[in-house]
Amino acid sequence: MENEKSLATMNQQVSAKLLESMYLLDILEDLLEGNAKESIILSLVIKNIEFSFDEISECRKIIS
C-alpha cells in the first residue's frame, strides 16, 4: 500500500511539473511571436508533453 501511495505522489508531482512546463511554453510562444523554426520546436515539445499527460493518465488507471 505504501508503494502505491508513493507512486501516486510521484505521479502527481510529474503531472504538476508537466503542467507548469506547458504554461511556460505558452509564455515562450507569445514571446517568439511566430518565428518558424522556434514554432516547430515548441509544437513538438507541446505534443510530447501532451503525450506524457496521456501516459500518466494510463499509469493512474493501473495504480488505482
Side-chain angles (χ1 to χ4, degrees):
M1 185 72 151
E2 187 173 316
N3 190 27
E4 288 180 16
K5 275 189 174 180
S6 177
L7 288 174
T9 301
M10 288 174 56
N11 197 301
Q12 289 173 341
Q13 291 172 342
V14 169
S15 292
K17 290 294 183 186
L18 285 171
L19 188 58
E20 181 180 323
S21 296
M22 287 291 291
Y23 293 146
L24 293 171
L25 287 171
D26 285 341
I27 293 168
L28 184 57
E29 188 174 37
D30 289 343
L31 292 173
L32 293 175
E33 293 185 13
N35 294 329
K37 290 180 183 178
E38 291 87 348
S39 293
I40 291 169
I41 292 171
L42 283 174
S43 172
L44 291 172
V45 172
I46 289 170
K47 284 183 182 182
N48 286 340
I49 290 175
E50 289 171 348
F51 174 80
S52 297
F53 272 124
D54 292 340
E55 290 296 302
I56 287 172
S57 178
E58 289 299 316
C59 288
R60 287 183 176 155
K61 290 176 187 175
I62 293 170
I63 290 170
S64 294

